[in-house]
Amino acid sequence: MTIIENAPAPAQLAPIALNITSGRLPRWFPWALLGASVAASAAVFGVIAAGGGGFNIAGALIVGILLFLVLIGTISTVVEGRRKATDRVVTALVSIAFGIAMIPLISVAWTALQNGVAGLNAEFFSSSMRNVVGEGGGALHAIMGTVLITLAAAVISIPIGLLTSIYLVEYGRGKLAQGITFLVDVMTGIPSIVAGLFIYALFALLVGPGVRMGLMGALSLAVLMIPVVVRSSEEMLRLVPNELREASYALGVPKWLTILKVVLPTSMAGIVTGVTLAIARVIGETAPLLVTAGFTASMNYSLTDGRMMSLPVFVYTQYMNQGIPAEAYVNRAWAAALVLILIVMVLNLLARFVASRFSPAKSR
């Protein structure tokens, strides 16, 4: 029997086999490869365009990205191994999906900023459109109307939505809870115009036909806000660990006080974020406010006395009812749209501040 001396053990053979794909691509390589792929695709499309027709930017980007995915997967497989190559391809796909999702957002924000800056001035924020025809005037009455109507809708919908979510998570059992959940799901998909028509029909029965006021607009927005608040708050409350509740019960704390002192503070950050999303969902609604609150060119600080203008309706009326010169009406519409975007941004920043302020980590 022949014995081969100095033969490597099986444990020593594994690293030798793995050294073939044990390299690692430099950090800059994927970006350089992406740039080269897009440049090669652009060159090909440039040659095609030279033969006749225009240069297809979207087509060049798509082909370049597809070429990059194939190349990065192949090169990474050879150098780093199949697992790392799969990770790089999936990371590239996720990054591409994020970039595609950001394109319309950036486009809308840039378009509103580019066209709306021309209409922003001191008069725009300090005057209304009363007795203004053509140039001049402002959107103070629409800004105040939006703030008042949205604030009233939030005051109405947040307590109802939060209490409903507390009931569903902490108390709800049986068919009643299932029925409420079903109705909330149905209300989530209700078109906004249906909410406006519902409130208009209700007030037509109670007060009389043809009535329009800011309170009606706030109620129609509250109908749209409530299911969003319920759903978001319910999910946040369910994320609170049951151990926290059980520890509170073990100390003899009643259930209502446990919810108030333990459950709500723990989930406050998520609840505030959900409320902000609900406000952002309704602050730009036009159809229900056209039906319920109407439109006016004058200031109105009362939610229960007469028609009230809002920023979405102001944008609609300025663009659809253009006078002479038409440029003044279009500029005011773009300026109001930009102000509406800025209000939503401020609300999101405020929500982030409140969420960080009331998070459990900050509370300790």
Side-chain angles (χ1 to χ4, degrees), residues 228-274:
V228 181
V229 175
V230 172
R231 269 286 168 240
S232 59
S233 301
E234 182 182 0
E235 293 300 324
M236 291 302 106
L237 292 175
R238 292 189 187 279
L239 291 177
V240 177
N242 285 327
E243 289 78 4
L244 296 179
R245 297 181 177 90
E246 293 170 358
S248 179
Y249 299 152
L251 295 175
V253 180
K255 189 168 188 176
W256 69 270
L257 193 58
T258 299
I259 296 172
L260 187 63
K261 295 294 186 179
V262 177
V263 178
L264 287 179
T266 305
S267 58
M268 183 59 65
I271 291 174
V272 172
T273 303

Side-chain angles (χ1 to χ4, degrees), residues 4-43:
I4 302 175
E5 297 182 354
N6 300 325
Q12 296 174 337
L13 291 175
I16 298 175
L18 293 176
N19 281 339
I20 300 175
T21 58
S22 62
R24 184 172 181 84
L25 295 174
R27 291 186 176 181
W28 53 266
F29 182 80
W31 295 103
L33 184 61
L34 176 61
S37 301
V38 174
S41 175

Side-chain angles (χ1 to χ4, degrees), residues 37-120:
S37 301
V38 174
S41 175
V44 173
F45 274 81
V47 173
I48 297 175
F55 183 79
N56 192 340
I57 299 178
L61 287 175
I62 293 174
V63 173
I65 291 173
L66 292 177
L67 179 61
F68 165 74
L69 291 175
V70 173
L71 291 177
I72 192 65
T74 304
I75 296 174
S76 180
T77 301
V78 173
V79 177
E80 300 175 312
R82 183 175 296 178
R83 294 181 73 181
K84 187 62 178 179
T86 304
D87 178 72
R88 286 190 180 276
V89 171
V90 173
T91 302
L93 290 174
V94 172
S95 302
I96 292 169
F98 172 75
I100 293 174
M102 289 296 294
I103 289 174
L105 176 62
I106 295 175
S107 177
V108 170
W110 173 252
T111 304
L113 181 64
Q114 189 178 23
N115 296 297
V117 170
L120 295 180

Side-chain angles (χ1 to χ4, degrees), residues 271-294:
I271 291 174
V272 172
T273 303
V275 169
T276 305
L277 292 176
I279 294 175
R281 155 83 168 84
V282 303
I283 198 171
E285 291 291 347
T286 306
L289 296 182
L290 268 173
V291 176
T292 55

Side-chain angles (χ1 to χ4, degrees), residues 6-362:
N6 300 325
Q12 296 174 337
L13 291 175
I16 298 175
L18 293 176
N19 281 339
I20 300 175
T21 58
S22 62
R24 184 172 181 84
L25 295 174
R27 291 186 176 181
W28 53 266
F29 182 80
W31 295 103
L33 184 61
L34 176 61
S37 301
V38 174
S41 175
V44 173
F45 274 81
V47 173
I48 297 175
F55 183 79
N56 192 340
I57 299 178
L61 287 175
I62 293 174
V63 173
I65 291 173
L66 292 177
L67 179 61
F68 165 74
L69 291 175
V70 173
L71 291 177
I72 192 65
T74 304
I75 296 174
S76 180
T77 301
V78 173
V79 177
E80 300 175 312
R82 183 175 296 178
R83 294 181 73 181
K84 187 62 178 179
T86 304
D87 178 72
R88 286 190 180 276
V89 171
V90 173
T91 302
L93 290 174
V94 172
S95 302
I96 292 169
F98 172 75
I100 293 174
M102 289 296 294
I103 289 174
L105 176 62
I106 295 175
S107 177
V108 170
W110 173 252
T111 304
L113 181 64
Q114 189 178 23
N115 296 297
V117 170
L120 295 180
N121 49 53
E123 186 179 9
F124 183 84
F125 293 100
S126 60
S127 62
S128 65
M129 291 298 297
R130 183 178 178 84
N131 299 326
V132 175
V133 178
E135 297 180 349
L140 179 61
H141 60 309
I143 296 173
M144 290 302 303
T146 295
V147 172
L148 293 175
I149 290 175
T150 308
L151 181 62
V155 170
I156 295 170
S157 60
I158 291 174
I160 296 175
L162 185 57
L163 291 175
T164 302
S165 63
I166 291 174
Y167 172 77
L168 291 175
V169 175
E170 303 293 340
Y171 297 97
R173 298 292 183 274
K175 294 184 178 180
L176 179 59
Q178 295 176 0
I180 294 175
T181 302
F182 174 75
L183 291 177
V184 169
D185 292 337
V186 172
M187 289 179 63
T188 305
I190 290 178
S192 58
I193 186 64
V194 174
L197 290 174
F198 166 71
I199 297 299
Y200 179 81
L202 179 63
F203 273 75
L205 293 174
L206 298 177
V207 182
V211 62
R212 288 181 174 84
M213 63 181 71
L215 179 60
M216 295 172 60
L219 289 173
S220 64
L221 296 186
V223 172
L224 300 174
M225 283 184 64
I226 288 174
V228 181
V229 175
V230 172
R231 269 286 168 240
S232 59
S233 301
E234 182 182 0
E235 293 300 324
M236 291 302 106
L237 292 175
R238 292 189 187 279
L239 291 177
V240 177
N242 285 327
E243 289 78 4
L244 296 179
R245 297 181 177 90
E246 293 170 358
S248 179
Y249 299 152
L251 295 175
V253 180
K255 189 168 188 176
W256 69 270
L257 193 58
T258 299
I259 296 172
L260 187 63
K261 295 294 186 179
V262 177
V263 178
L264 287 179
T266 305
S267 58
M268 183 59 65
I271 291 174
V272 172
T273 303
V275 169
T276 305
L277 292 176
I279 294 175
R281 155 83 168 84
V282 303
I283 198 171
E285 291 291 347
T286 306
L289 296 182
L290 268 173
V291 176
T292 55
F295 55 90
T296 179
S298 304
M299 293 293 302
N300 183 9
Y301 296 98
S302 176
L303 290 169
T304 58
D305 184 17
R307 300 171 180 240
M308 180 175 285
M309 181 64 90
S310 59
L311 278 172
V313 177
F314 181 80
V315 174
Y316 173 79
T317 55
Q318 289 295 307
Y319 188 80
M320 295 302 296
N321 303 320
Q322 298 179 19
I324 300 175
E327 183 180 359
Y329 291 81
V330 174
N331 287 341
R332 283 195 293 263
W334 278 112
L338 179 59
V339 171
L340 189 60
I341 293 175
L342 293 176
I343 291 176
V344 174
M345 184 182 70
V346 170
L347 288 174
N348 279 274
L349 292 176
L350 181 62
R352 287 180 176 273
F353 171 77
V354 174
S356 62
R357 176 67 178 83
F358 288 98
S359 64
K362 295 290 183 181

